[in-house]
Amino acid sequence: YPQLFKKNWMMVNDRPGFPYYPENEADTLDRVKMHPVQKPHDTEFTKNCLVIAAFHNRKIFNNYTKAHINKVLRRVAGSGYRPEPVCMDSLVMGDIEGYLRRVVEPEKSIVIYFDSDVHCETYGYPYLAGLRMLQQGNDSAHVAIVSVGDYISGGPLGLLSKGKAITEIMKTVGYDAVGLGGNEFDHKVGETREILSQIGSPVVCANLRDVETDTLVYAPYVIRRYGRRKVAYLGVASPEEEQTKGASLMREDGVTQKYDLSFRFYERVQNAIDKARAEGAEFVIALAHLGEGTKVNRSITSHMLIANTHGLDVVLDGNSHTVIEGEWYEDKKGNEVLLAQTGRDFANIGKLLIDPDGELHTSLVKPNEVSYKESATERCVNEMQTKYLDAVDVALARTEVKLSSLNPLKTSKKEPNSICAGMLAADAVRFQAKSDIAMLNMGSMRQTLLEGSITRSNMAKLMPYENNIEVVSLTGKQLKDGLQNLAMILKDQFGNYFAYISGMQVVLGQGKDDVKEVKEVRVIDPATGKLSELDPEATYTLASLGFCFRAVLMKAFSLTEDDDIMDLNMQYSQAFIDYINGPLRGIVNAESVEAGVRTVVVEM
């Protein structure tokens, strides 16, 4: 098929008297001359020449290593050849032309767009699909879209549709692969599998294991072919979800663990990498949800994944909501691995470019800077918004001030005529739980609500998670020791992580190594309603969210699943509305945070 070749070509095989090659570009296979294999061909003709190496049978081909083939061909054709060895007896005649076309046609780039920590924010999806359409329009590259996790919950649309609206949108976009984030464990594992099956794309995770059968719940990776290249997408979920989302990994009895994420973590990931390579993957890309360790001390970060494995080319990460356009880190064998993360809520769309030479580049794209929105995806987003949000906008209560999701220390400065929604929620949780103290994490409040009606849909914006209230009894000594442990775990982030506290005042002093020292703890005396010193011998009840207990409180207060942590089977969003419609008589105003006893963390 010399007519296929725009460049010079030559054919060699394992028989004496070869290679064949045309005397000039007009020659065909019918008019070739034979030359002894010993004759060097280092002329201009053999520079950048396509060499077709044909071996007599498969046994001979298999016995030749690629290095040896290259050595022989280099002697024959000179240094300019492009080796493409193939066992010709494995091809029928109809395949040969297609194979040769793939050989001589230039390799395209591969562009992989990725999202992370979307949290049900939908405005970016039409732009994401639009980027693919624009890229496909100029036919300069193969295009793919992947997600690294946190998509089916964390926002009102996910909460009100139980994730179904998000999967419908993602199905319309069309993903090559999706990984698992923490929000995918807001449901039981079985429920999540059913929800994610609606996306119509492979879900990958190399470390979610069924404890009873010692098998993986999902395929560890999927291999996609783009032109002649194979790319493996390998999923890695955070082992920390065993603590933060432990209930989703349990059997129906709520006691026995059915699934785990941490068992032989690095070993399982490495095995998946090795298998993907053995199946011919030229590039292995981790769809990870591990995050950076900048705000809290994570047990496993994306950097640790890279340092403890080898064979990954890229880690597309999430979880910590960090913006990383592209940074290089060495793996276990000293090879460089590219790391990128997009931030959260479609602040950016990630772009990974694999150029024709195999070089890797990452960049970030602002969705609102994309010139095109794909119409089918935009239409699907609008339909889901109408179906699940507009149809349920029924007033539940009313507020005369803004309900700010900011840290209470910043609320009055940055948002005048507002009160701290988190403090109000902490009061509500303490009231509904009839506990002495309530502690809520900063992440439990997501979006400031403006004055006016409090509806089901905007409540889902403020509190987008299905978190139940749980209560435990502690002695005064356990409480103070646990708070000090929290200060050690969270360091200077203590006041940010547990920004919402009701019924207690914690006085922190400067300690060593950025660890605050708990100087004093005061609690509300039920008889007087005033703050009094903590009694080390007395028993106090602490209310918080199931997520908070499993994320840090159980570790800080040295609690186990055997301790009597009582689940009230009431979501904190419902407690919030019931509190407003009860003690606050249906209206929130500037004095509402004084209706319940509220206190703040004071740093000294």
Side-chain angles (χ1 to χ4, degrees), residues 133-165:
M133 293 287 287
L134 290 171
Q135 191 72 57
Q136 289 174 335
N138 60 33
D139 196 32
S140 62
H142 305 285
V143 192
I145 296 177
V146 298
S147 177
V148 305
D150 270 14
Y151 38 84
I152 64 170
S153 68
L157 194 56
L159 178 66
L160 298 175
S161 70
K162 304 291 186 182
K164 294 178 181 179

PDB file of all heavy atoms in Angstrom, residues 133-165:
ATOM      1  N   MET A 133     -17.458  19.873  22.850  1.00  0.00           N
ATOM      2  CA  MET A 133     -17.969  20.142  21.501  1.00  0.00           C
ATOM      3  C   MET A 133     -17.010  21.044  20.722  1.00  0.00           C
ATOM      4  O   MET A 133     -16.734  20.809  19.544  1.00  0.00           O
ATOM      5  CB  MET A 133     -19.343  20.798  21.599  1.00  0.00           C
ATOM      6  CG  MET A 133     -20.431  19.890  22.156  1.00  0.00           C
ATOM      7  SD  MET A 133     -20.951  18.620  20.989  1.00  0.00           S
ATOM      8  CE  MET A 133     -21.878  19.605  19.827  1.00  0.00           C
ATOM      9  N   LEU A 134     -16.475  22.069  21.396  1.00  0.00           N
ATOM     10  CA  LEU A 134     -15.551  22.980  20.723  1.00  0.00           C
ATOM     11  C   LEU A 134     -14.277  22.251  20.312  1.00  0.00           C
ATOM     12  O   LEU A 134     -13.749  22.463  19.220  1.00  0.00           O
ATOM     13  CB  LEU A 134     -15.215  24.153  21.653  1.00  0.00           C
ATOM     14  CG  LEU A 134     -16.346  25.154  21.929  1.00  0.00           C
ATOM     15  CD1 LEU A 134     -15.932  26.125  23.030  1.00  0.00           C
ATOM     16  CD2 LEU A 134     -16.720  25.908  20.661  1.00  0.00           C
ATOM     17  N   GLN A 135     -13.782  21.386  21.201  1.00  0.00           N
ATOM     18  CA  GLN A 135     -12.554  20.647  20.910  1.00  0.00           C
ATOM     19  C   GLN A 135     -12.762  19.655  19.774  1.00  0.00           C
ATOM     20  O   GLN A 135     -11.917  19.500  18.892  1.00  0.00           O
ATOM     21  CB  GLN A 135     -12.080  19.917  22.162  1.00  0.00           C
ATOM     22  CG  GLN A 135     -10.690  19.326  22.067  1.00  0.00           C
ATOM     23  CD  GLN A 135      -9.601  20.382  22.092  1.00  0.00           C
ATOM     24  OE1 GLN A 135      -9.512  21.170  23.018  1.00  0.00           O
ATOM     25  NE2 GLN A 135      -8.776  20.416  21.051  1.00  0.00           N
ATOM     26  N   GLN A 136     -13.908  18.984  19.790  1.00  0.00           N
ATOM     27  CA  GLN A 136     -14.209  18.027  18.733  1.00  0.00           C
ATOM     28  C   GLN A 136     -14.418  18.720  17.395  1.00  0.00           C
ATOM     29  O   GLN A 136     -14.149  18.156  16.338  1.00  0.00           O
ATOM     30  CB  GLN A 136     -15.449  17.215  19.095  1.00  0.00           C
ATOM     31  CG  GLN A 136     -15.231  16.213  20.220  1.00  0.00           C
ATOM     32  CD  GLN A 136     -16.509  15.525  20.660  1.00  0.00           C
ATOM     33  OE1 GLN A 136     -17.605  16.067  20.492  1.00  0.00           O
ATOM     34  NE2 GLN A 136     -16.378  14.338  21.222  1.00  0.00           N
ATOM     35  N   GLY A 137     -14.877  19.962  17.451  1.00  0.00           N
ATOM     36  CA  GLY A 137     -15.152  20.697  16.219  1.00  0.00           C
ATOM     37  C   GLY A 137     -13.933  20.937  15.370  1.00  0.00           C
ATOM     38  O   GLY A 137     -14.010  20.913  14.135  1.00  0.00           O
ATOM     39  N   ASN A 138     -12.771  21.173  16.016  1.00  0.00           N
ATOM     40  CA  ASN A 138     -11.573  21.401  15.196  1.00  0.00           C
ATOM     41  C   ASN A 138     -10.790  20.117  14.930  1.00  0.00           C
ATOM     42  O   ASN A 138      -9.758  20.147  14.263  1.00  0.00           O
ATOM     43  CB  ASN A 138     -10.663  22.454  15.851  1.00  0.00           C
ATOM     44  CG  ASN A 138     -10.182  22.038  17.231  1.00  0.00           C
ATOM     45  OD1 ASN A 138      -9.973  20.865  17.506  1.00  0.00           O
ATOM     46  ND2 ASN A 138      -9.994  23.022  18.110  1.00  0.00           N
ATOM     47  N   ASP A 139     -11.267  18.983  15.476  1.00  0.00           N
ATOM     48  CA  ASP A 139     -10.708  17.660  15.162  1.00  0.00           C
ATOM     49  C   ASP A 139      -9.200  17.592  15.403  1.00  0.00           C
ATOM     50  O   ASP A 139      -8.488  16.888  14.695  1.00  0.00           O
ATOM     51  CB  ASP A 139     -11.025  17.279  13.715  1.00  0.00           C
ATOM     52  CG  ASP A 139     -10.811  15.778  13.455  1.00  0.00           C
ATOM     53  OD1 ASP A 139     -11.018  14.996  14.402  1.00  0.00           O
ATOM     54  OD2 ASP A 139     -10.427  15.426  12.338  1.00  0.00           O
ATOM     55  N   SER A 140      -8.716  18.320  16.390  1.00  0.00           N
ATOM     56  CA  SER A 140      -7.279  18.323  16.649  1.00  0.00           C
ATOM     57  C   SER A 140      -6.880  17.367  17.764  1.00  0.00           C
ATOM     58  O   SER A 140      -5.689  17.162  17.998  1.00  0.00           O
ATOM     59  CB  SER A 140      -6.823  19.742  17.021  1.00  0.00           C
ATOM     60  OG  SER A 140      -7.459  20.170  18.215  1.00  0.00           O
ATOM     61  N   ALA A 141      -7.870  16.795  18.456  1.00  0.00           N
ATOM     62  CA  ALA A 141      -7.533  15.937  19.593  1.00  0.00           C
ATOM     63  C   ALA A 141      -8.699  15.009  19.905  1.00  0.00           C
ATOM     64  O   ALA A 141      -9.853  15.284  19.574  1.00  0.00           O
ATOM     65  CB  ALA A 141      -7.210  16.783  20.824  1.00  0.00           C
ATOM     66  N   HIS A 142      -8.375  13.878  20.551  1.00  0.00           N
ATOM     67  CA  HIS A 142      -9.401  13.052  21.172  1.00  0.00           C
ATOM     68  C   HIS A 142      -9.828  13.741  22.467  1.00  0.00           C
ATOM     69  O   HIS A 142      -9.006  14.341  23.165  1.00  0.00           O
ATOM     70  CB  HIS A 142      -8.839  11.668  21.485  1.00  0.00           C
ATOM     71  CG  HIS A 142      -8.247  10.974  20.300  1.00  0.00           C
ATOM     72  ND1 HIS A 142      -9.015  10.410  19.307  1.00  0.00           N
ATOM     73  CD2 HIS A 142      -6.950  10.749  19.951  1.00  0.00           C
ATOM     74  CE1 HIS A 142      -8.225   9.859  18.394  1.00  0.00           C
ATOM     75  NE2 HIS A 142      -6.970  10.061  18.758  1.00  0.00           N
ATOM     76  N   VAL A 143     -11.113  13.655  22.821  1.00  0.00           N
ATOM     77  CA  VAL A 143     -11.620  14.398  23.972  1.00  0.00           C
ATOM     78  C   VAL A 143     -12.340  13.454  24.931  1.00  0.00           C
ATOM     79  O   VAL A 143     -13.089  12.563  24.499  1.00  0.00           O
ATOM     80  CB  VAL A 143     -12.591  15.524  23.546  1.00  0.00           C
ATOM     81  CG1 VAL A 143     -12.872  16.462  24.718  1.00  0.00           C
ATOM     82  CG2 VAL A 143     -12.020  16.314  22.379  1.00  0.00           C
ATOM     83  N   ALA A 144     -12.116  13.651  26.221  1.00  0.00           N
ATOM     84  CA  ALA A 144     -12.769  12.855  27.256  1.00  0.00           C
ATOM     85  C   ALA A 144     -13.197  13.767  28.403  1.00  0.00           C
ATOM     86  O   ALA A 144     -12.684  14.879  28.553  1.00  0.00           O
ATOM     87  CB  ALA A 144     -11.826  11.766  27.770  1.00  0.00           C
ATOM     88  N   ILE A 145     -14.129  13.275  29.211  1.00  0.00           N
ATOM     89  CA  ILE A 145     -14.574  13.983  30.418  1.00  0.00           C
ATOM     90  C   ILE A 145     -14.616  12.979  31.560  1.00  0.00           C
ATOM     91  O   ILE A 145     -15.158  11.873  31.411  1.00  0.00           O
ATOM     92  CB  ILE A 145     -15.962  14.632  30.233  1.00  0.00           C
ATOM     93  CG1 ILE A 145     -15.919  15.712  29.151  1.00  0.00           C
ATOM     94  CG2 ILE A 145     -16.457  15.237  31.542  1.00  0.00           C
ATOM     95  CD1 ILE A 145     -17.269  16.355  28.868  1.00  0.00           C
ATOM     96  N   VAL A 146     -14.055  13.345  32.714  1.00  0.00           N
ATOM     97  CA  VAL A 146     -14.075  12.493  33.901  1.00  0.00           C
ATOM     98  C   VAL A 146     -14.416  13.333  35.128  1.00  0.00           C
ATOM     99  O   VAL A 146     -14.292  14.559  35.109  1.00  0.00           O
ATOM    100  CB  VAL A 146     -12.718  11.771  34.118  1.00  0.00           C
ATOM    101  CG1 VAL A 146     -12.402  10.854  32.960  1.00  0.00           C
ATOM    102  CG2 VAL A 146     -11.592  12.785  34.328  1.00  0.00           C
ATOM    103  N   SER A 147     -14.838  12.661  36.201  1.00  0.00           N
ATOM    104  CA  SER A 147     -15.101  13.330  37.477  1.00  0.00           C
ATOM    105  C   SER A 147     -14.377  12.580  38.574  1.00  0.00           C
ATOM    106  O   SER A 147     -14.336  11.344  38.584  1.00  0.00           O
ATOM    107  CB  SER A 147     -16.599  13.363  37.785  1.00  0.00           C
ATOM    108  OG  SER A 147     -16.831  13.954  39.060  1.00  0.00           O
ATOM    109  N   VAL A 148     -13.812  13.328  39.528  1.00  0.00           N
ATOM    110  CA  VAL A 148     -13.083  12.686  40.620  1.00  0.00           C
ATOM    111  C   VAL A 148     -13.901  12.594  41.903  1.00  0.00           C
ATOM    112  O   VAL A 148     -13.391  12.145  42.922  1.00  0.00           O
ATOM    113  CB  VAL A 148     -11.734  13.403  40.908  1.00  0.00           C
ATOM    114  CG1 VAL A 148     -10.921  13.488  39.653  1.00  0.00           C
ATOM    115  CG2 VAL A 148     -11.941  14.781  41.487  1.00  0.00           C
ATOM    116  N   GLY A 149     -15.182  12.999  41.873  1.00  0.00           N
ATOM    117  CA  GLY A 149     -16.032  12.747  43.035  1.00  0.00           C
ATOM    118  C   GLY A 149     -16.652  13.974  43.656  1.00  0.00           C
ATOM    119  O   GLY A 149     -16.316  15.112  43.340  1.00  0.00           O
ATOM    120  N   ASP A 150     -17.600  13.719  44.577  1.00  0.00           N
ATOM    121  CA  ASP A 150     -18.412  14.742  45.261  1.00  0.00           C
ATOM    122  C   ASP A 150     -19.338  15.445  44.269  1.00  0.00           C
ATOM    123  O   ASP A 150     -19.239  16.643  44.034  1.00  0.00           O
ATOM    124  CB  ASP A 150     -17.540  15.756  46.004  1.00  0.00           C
ATOM    125  CG  ASP A 150     -17.263  15.348  47.434  1.00  0.00           C
ATOM    126  OD1 ASP A 150     -17.518  14.178  47.775  1.00  0.00           O
ATOM    127  OD2 ASP A 150     -16.784  16.187  48.223  1.00  0.00           O
ATOM    128  N   TYR A 151     -20.272  14.684  43.713  1.00  0.00           N
ATOM    129  CA  TYR A 151     -21.188  15.255  42.737  1.00  0.00           C
ATOM    130  C   TYR A 151     -22.657  15.011  43.083  1.00  0.00           C
ATOM    131  O   TYR A 151     -23.493  15.855  42.797  1.00  0.00           O
ATOM    132  CB  TYR A 151     -20.891  14.740  41.327  1.00  0.00           C
ATOM    133  CG  TYR A 151     -20.491  13.287  41.242  1.00  0.00           C
ATOM    134  CD1 TYR A 151     -21.438  12.274  41.190  1.00  0.00           C
ATOM    135  CD2 TYR A 151     -19.149  12.927  41.217  1.00  0.00           C
ATOM    136  CE1 TYR A 151     -21.066  10.940  41.125  1.00  0.00           C
ATOM    137  CE2 TYR A 151     -18.757  11.593  41.145  1.00  0.00           C
ATOM    138  CZ  TYR A 151     -19.725  10.600  41.110  1.00  0.00           C
ATOM    139  OH  TYR A 151     -19.358   9.278  41.051  1.00  0.00           O
ATOM    140  N   ILE A 152     -23.022  13.876  43.740  1.00  0.00           N
ATOM    141  CA  ILE A 152     -24.454  13.562  43.867  1.00  0.00           C
ATOM    142  C   ILE A 152     -25.109  14.192  45.097  1.00  0.00           C
ATOM    143  O   ILE A 152     -26.335  14.145  45.227  1.00  0.00           O
ATOM    144  CB  ILE A 152     -24.728  12.049  43.879  1.00  0.00           C
ATOM    145  CG1 ILE A 152     -24.099  11.369  45.109  1.00  0.00           C
ATOM    146  CG2 ILE A 152     -24.271  11.417  42.600  1.00  0.00           C
ATOM    147  CD1 ILE A 152     -24.557   9.932  45.289  1.00  0.00           C
ATOM    148  N   SER A 153     -24.318  14.777  46.022  1.00  0.00           N
ATOM    149  CA  SER A 153     -24.930  15.457  47.164  1.00  0.00           C
ATOM    150  C   SER A 153     -24.065  16.638  47.556  1.00  0.00           C
ATOM    151  O   SER A 153     -22.993  16.860  46.988  1.00  0.00           O
ATOM    152  CB  SER A 153     -25.122  14.504  48.347  1.00  0.00           C
ATOM    153  OG  SER A 153     -23.878  14.110  48.884  1.00  0.00           O
ATOM    154  N   GLY A 154     -24.550  17.417  48.525  1.00  0.00           N
ATOM    155  CA  GLY A 154     -23.836  18.622  48.934  1.00  0.00           C
ATOM    156  C   GLY A 154     -24.516  19.890  48.475  1.00  0.00           C
ATOM    157  O   GLY A 154     -24.037  20.992  48.731  1.00  0.00           O
ATOM    158  N   GLY A 155     -25.674  19.755  47.795  1.00  0.00           N
ATOM    159  CA  GLY A 155     -26.432  20.904  47.324  1.00  0.00           C
ATOM    160  C   GLY A 155     -27.912  20.578  47.321  1.00  0.00           C
ATOM    161  O   GLY A 155     -28.313  19.415  47.448  1.00  0.00           O
ATOM    162  N   PRO A 156     -28.752  21.584  47.157  1.00  0.00           N
ATOM    163  CA  PRO A 156     -30.207  21.360  47.243  1.00  0.00           C
ATOM    164  C   PRO A 156     -30.746  20.392  46.196  1.00  0.00           C
ATOM    165  O   PRO A 156     -31.628  19.599  46.489  1.00  0.00           O
ATOM    166  CB  PRO A 156     -30.801  22.762  47.066  1.00  0.00           C
ATOM    167  CG  PRO A 156     -29.717  23.575  46.437  1.00  0.00           C
ATOM    168  CD  PRO A 156     -28.434  23.016  46.947  1.00  0.00           C
ATOM    169  N   LEU A 157     -30.232  20.466  44.976  1.00  0.00           N
ATOM    170  CA  LEU A 157     -30.759  19.598  43.924  1.00  0.00           C
ATOM    171  C   LEU A 157     -30.463  18.137  44.231  1.00  0.00           C
ATOM    172  O   LEU A 157     -31.298  17.258  44.004  1.00  0.00           O
ATOM    173  CB  LEU A 157     -30.158  20.004  42.577  1.00  0.00           C
ATOM    174  CG  LEU A 157     -30.839  19.429  41.336  1.00  0.00           C
ATOM    175  CD1 LEU A 157     -32.316  19.775  41.313  1.00  0.00           C
ATOM    176  CD2 LEU A 157     -30.155  19.952  40.077  1.00  0.00           C
ATOM    177  N   GLY A 158     -29.281  17.857  44.760  1.00  0.00           N
ATOM    178  CA  GLY A 158     -28.950  16.488  45.136  1.00  0.00           C
ATOM    179  C   GLY A 158     -29.764  16.008  46.315  1.00  0.00           C
ATOM    180  O   GLY A 158     -30.226  14.860  46.351  1.00  0.00           O
ATOM    181  N   LEU A 159     -29.953  16.891  47.287  1.00  0.00           N
ATOM    182  CA  LEU A 159     -30.714  16.520  48.484  1.00  0.00           C
ATOM    183  C   LEU A 159     -32.172  16.220  48.145  1.00  0.00           C
ATOM    184  O   LEU A 159     -32.730  15.200  48.571  1.00  0.00           O
ATOM    185  CB  LEU A 159     -30.628  17.650  49.514  1.00  0.00           C
ATOM    186  CG  LEU A 159     -31.405  17.452  50.816  1.00  0.00           C
ATOM    187  CD1 LEU A 159     -30.827  16.296  51.627  1.00  0.00           C
ATOM    188  CD2 LEU A 159     -31.389  18.730  51.652  1.00  0.00           C
ATOM    189  N   LEU A 160     -32.803  17.106  47.388  1.00  0.00           N
ATOM    190  CA  LEU A 160     -34.228  16.972  47.123  1.00  0.00           C
ATOM    191  C   LEU A 160     -34.550  15.876  46.105  1.00  0.00           C
ATOM    192  O   LEU A 160     -35.651  15.347  46.095  1.00  0.00           O
ATOM    193  CB  LEU A 160     -34.795  18.304  46.636  1.00  0.00           C
ATOM    194  CG  LEU A 160     -34.686  19.469  47.647  1.00  0.00           C
ATOM    195  CD1 LEU A 160     -35.165  20.763  47.030  1.00  0.00           C
ATOM    196  CD2 LEU A 160     -35.467  19.159  48.919  1.00  0.00           C
ATOM    197  N   SER A 161     -33.579  15.530  45.261  1.00  0.00           N
ATOM    198  CA  SER A 161     -33.817  14.487  44.260  1.00  0.00           C
ATOM    199  C   SER A 161     -33.160  13.165  44.629  1.00  0.00           C
ATOM    200  O   SER A 161     -33.203  12.214  43.852  1.00  0.00           O
ATOM    201  CB  SER A 161     -33.287  14.938  42.888  1.00  0.00           C
ATOM    202  OG  SER A 161     -31.866  14.963  42.881  1.00  0.00           O
ATOM    203  N   LYS A 162     -32.527  13.113  45.825  1.00  0.00           N
ATOM    204  CA  LYS A 162     -31.773  11.918  46.241  1.00  0.00           C
ATOM    205  C   LYS A 162     -30.693  11.561  45.213  1.00  0.00           C
ATOM    206  O   LYS A 162     -30.389  10.395  44.971  1.00  0.00           O
ATOM    207  CB  LYS A 162     -32.697  10.710  46.427  1.00  0.00           C
ATOM    208  CG  LYS A 162     -33.836  10.942  47.417  1.00  0.00           C
ATOM    209  CD  LYS A 162     -33.327  11.057  48.835  1.00  0.00           C
ATOM    210  CE  LYS A 162     -34.471  11.153  49.836  1.00  0.00           C
ATOM    211  NZ  LYS A 162     -33.992  11.314  51.226  1.00  0.00           N
ATOM    212  N   GLY A 163     -30.096  12.593  44.602  1.00  0.00           N
ATOM    213  CA  GLY A 163     -29.016  12.391  43.652  1.00  0.00           C
ATOM    214  C   GLY A 163     -29.455  12.125  42.224  1.00  0.00           C
ATOM    215  O   GLY A 163     -28.639  12.175  41.293  1.00  0.00           O
ATOM    216  N   LYS A 164     -30.745  11.848  42.010  1.00  0.00           N
ATOM    217  CA  LYS A 164     -31.209  11.447  40.678  1.00  0.00           C
ATOM    218  C   LYS A 164     -31.092  12.567  39.652  1.00  0.00           C
ATOM    219  O   LYS A 164     -30.807  12.309  38.473  1.00  0.00           O
ATOM    220  CB  LYS A 164     -32.654  10.948  40.765  1.00  0.00           C
ATOM    221  CG  LYS A 164     -32.804   9.659  41.571  1.00  0.00           C
ATOM    222  CD  LYS A 164     -34.257   9.243  41.667  1.00  0.00           C
ATOM    223  CE  LYS A 164     -34.393   7.960  42.502  1.00  0.00           C
ATOM    224  NZ  LYS A 164     -35.799   7.546  42.645  1.00  0.00           N
ATOM    225  N   ALA A 165     -31.315  13.817  40.061  1.00  0.00           N
ATOM    226  CA  ALA A 165     -31.210  14.929  39.115  1.00  0.00           C
ATOM    227  C   ALA A 165     -29.778  15.081  38.616  1.00  0.00           C
ATOM    228  O   ALA A 165     -29.538  15.348  37.438  1.00  0.00           O
ATOM    229  CB  ALA A 165     -31.685  16.228  39.775  1.00  0.00           C
TER     230      ALA A 165
END
